[in-house]
Amino acid sequence: MFKQTPRIGFACKIQQSPGTPDKALNTSSTTIAWLSKQTKEKAYERLYALAEFNIEALKKQISFLAKQPEHLRMFRMTSDLLTAYTHEDYMWCYQELDMQNLLERGFKECGELARKHDIRLSFHPGQFCVLASESDQIVENSIYEFEYHTDIARWMGYGQEFQDFKINVHIGGKRGPEGIKQVLKKLSREARNCLTIENAEFSWGLQHSLELAQDCALVLDIHHHWIMTGEYIQVDDWRVQKVIDSWRGVRPTIHYSISRTEHTGHLDRDQPYNLKQLLASGLTKAKLRAHSDYYHNTWCNQWAKEFLPYVDIMCEAKEKNLASFELAQEII
């Protein structure tokens, strides 16, 4: 299991410079539209080549992280590692024997490399993964999508213990917490071990996540909570302790982002933002929820720092590692 050293992570891509992903360290993809124009053989060849390329890219990303200080060895992998994995027209490609051999061998090597260097990895399926939808068909599709992420975690050697790997989703859908409880019965054992639920900014907030504290680990997104309530929740709040307890002894992860400078750049960076005042100025919660490029508010950064003795922080900022590394220099 992970060490107790505080960590600050970033998501999906490695930036070479502002606005410029490092092509040597990132994954590639194609479109369903392109695949649909190909013969079955050509489509399969392309998907196999992409899987091979993306596995090697993941190894390079893990190797990049292995060279960083211990407190920076945390990374959310992109969901786009295996193109069209859950698309009904191309699922068959991933059942072919040579593809299966590639995936099992390649991802196993990735997992071994991550564990060797004590790198904490995770996934965050997209917004269309709605496990608590009122539509049974959407729930079924969402389970396929969640189990896709679990398949990769399983090939990497994770999912064997509670929260040895994090796959995070919002509650989503009108069925709410009860919908998540029903879906848990349909997930694989590995998926249940990996599932985390995050509070949203508009619908199902922290108070709803807490209803699942006995069912799965909870991720506190402190920016989402601020957007919903205007509150800068404190680390000694009983609700934070309940989130921590939901991890059953594993070091929790929280998410941290702040509003974009185009909306807040004129304000004092040494003071907290006042949500009521910002809304009264004509801004909307939808605009304020958008992630900034960097962490420009020193007060907010010190607020996030207060959580570090107890949790790891996943940075959700547009400039990825550039933003998280800069934040780490400030608060660690």
Side-chain angles (χ1 to χ4, degrees):
M1 203 55 72
F2 311 106
K3 298 178 181 177
Q4 293 303 305
T5 303
R7 296 171 192 246
I8 294 179
F10 64 96
C12 300
K13 292 182 180 180
I14 296 175
Q15 296 288 89
Q16 184 180 57
S17 58
T20 308
D22 190 329
K23 291 183 179 180
L25 294 177
N26 288 300
T27 57
S28 185
S29 187
T30 191
T31 64
I32 298 299
W34 185 90
L35 289 170
S36 67
K37 297 175 182 177
Q38 312 306 312
T39 64
K40 289 184 65 174
E41 292 75 14
K42 285 290 185 182
Y44 177 74
E45 288 176 7
R46 179 60 175 152
L47 291 175
Y48 185 93
L50 278 172
E52 192 170 39
F53 180 90
N54 289 344
I55 288 171
E56 289 304 312
L58 179 57
K59 289 178 187 176
K60 292 175 183 178
Q61 291 171 336
I62 294 171
S63 297
F64 169 85
L65 290 159
K67 297 174 184 177
Q68 308 307 318
E70 188 175 11
H71 64 270
L72 296 178
R73 297 183 188 181
M74 182 176 174
F75 180 58
R76 178 192 296 166
M77 302 187 299
T78 178
S79 293
D80 298 331
L81 285 165
L82 300 179
T83 303
Y85 187 88
T86 60
H87 194 286
E88 60 182 358
D89 292 338
Y90 302 102
M91 286 181 181
W92 67 270
C93 296
Y94 292 99
Q95 301 305 315
E96 293 294 299
L97 182 59
D98 56 347
M99 178 73 88
Q100 283 280 308
N101 289 337
L102 168 67
L103 302 180
E104 291 174 7
R105 179 180 67 253
F107 283 121
K108 179 182 178 182
E109 292 172 358
C110 291
E112 289 173 346
L113 186 61
R115 284 185 291 275
K116 177 181 177 180
H117 296 286
D118 193 32
I119 296 167
R120 190 170 194 179
L121 299 172
S122 64
F123 272 130
H124 193 340
Q127 297 285 350
F128 52 84
C129 188
V130 186
L131 294 173
S133 172
E134 67 273 27
S135 164
D136 291 340
Q137 185 60 57
I138 291 176
V139 170
E140 183 178 347
N141 293 342
S142 297
I143 290 173
Y144 284 138
E145 184 67 19
F146 196 90
E147 291 287 358
Y148 151 58
H149 292 79
T150 304
D151 283 346
I152 294 177
R154 187 185 295 111
W155 284 319
M156 293 178 73
Y158 297 112
Q160 304 308 304
E161 299 178 23
F162 181 78
Q163 281 309 311
D164 61 1
F165 190 94
K166 163 177 163 262
I167 306 179
N168 180 69
V169 294
H170 296 181
I171 292 175
K174 292 184 178 179
R175 290 176 179 168
E178 287 303 316
I180 297 295
K181 291 181 181 182
Q182 291 301 313
V183 163
L184 280 169
K185 304 172 185 177
K186 302 176 181 180
L187 295 177
S188 65
R189 178 181 67 88
E190 293 89 345
R192 293 193 301 273
N193 279 339
C194 295
L195 174 68
T196 64
I197 292 294
E198 173 187 355
N199 58 297
E201 62 274 69
F202 297 134
S203 54
W204 301 103
L206 177 57
Q207 70 274 27
H208 303 107
S209 294
L210 293 177
E211 297 178 33
L212 298 166
Q214 300 301 316
D215 302 289
C216 60
L218 305 178
V219 169
L220 171 60
D221 188 308
I222 56 179
H223 182 62
H224 285 175
H225 185 70
W226 177 77
I227 289 289
M228 176 169 274
T229 67
E231 177 189 20
Y232 287 97
I233 194 167
Q234 299 301 305
V235 70
D236 59 357
D237 190 292
W238 69 270
R239 294 166 293 177
V240 175
Q241 186 57 56
K242 195 165 183 180
V243 168
I244 292 172
D245 290 345
S246 74
W247 288 74
R248 307 176 197 174
V250 177
R251 187 175 177 85
T253 296
I254 68 169
H255 292 176
Y256 176 43
S257 57
I258 58 176
S259 302
R260 296 183 63 79
T261 53
E262 63 197 71
H263 305 310
T264 59
H266 62 289
L267 300 174
D268 188 342
R269 297 187 178 191
D270 293 322
Q271 296 295 325
Y273 300 137
N274 186 302
L275 180 63
K276 288 185 178 179
Q277 291 178 1
L278 288 167
L279 295 175
S281 74
L283 290 168
T284 63
K285 288 189 175 184
K287 288 183 177 179
L288 291 170
R289 73 182 287 275
H291 299 161
S292 63
D293 293 341
Y294 291 91
Y295 292 93
H296 49 270
N297 186 295
T298 55
W299 187 94
C300 289
N301 294 343
Q302 291 304 307
W303 165 57
K305 179 181 179 179
E306 294 176 2
F307 289 84
L308 266 179
Y310 314 99
V311 306
D312 292 340
I313 295 177
M314 173 56 69
C315 291
E316 296 186 317
K318 296 296 185 183
E319 291 296 349
K320 310 299 183 182
N321 54 299
L322 301 181
S324 64
F325 289 5
E326 184 178 280
L327 177 67
Q329 287 183 334
E330 182 178 340
I331 70 174
I332 288 188

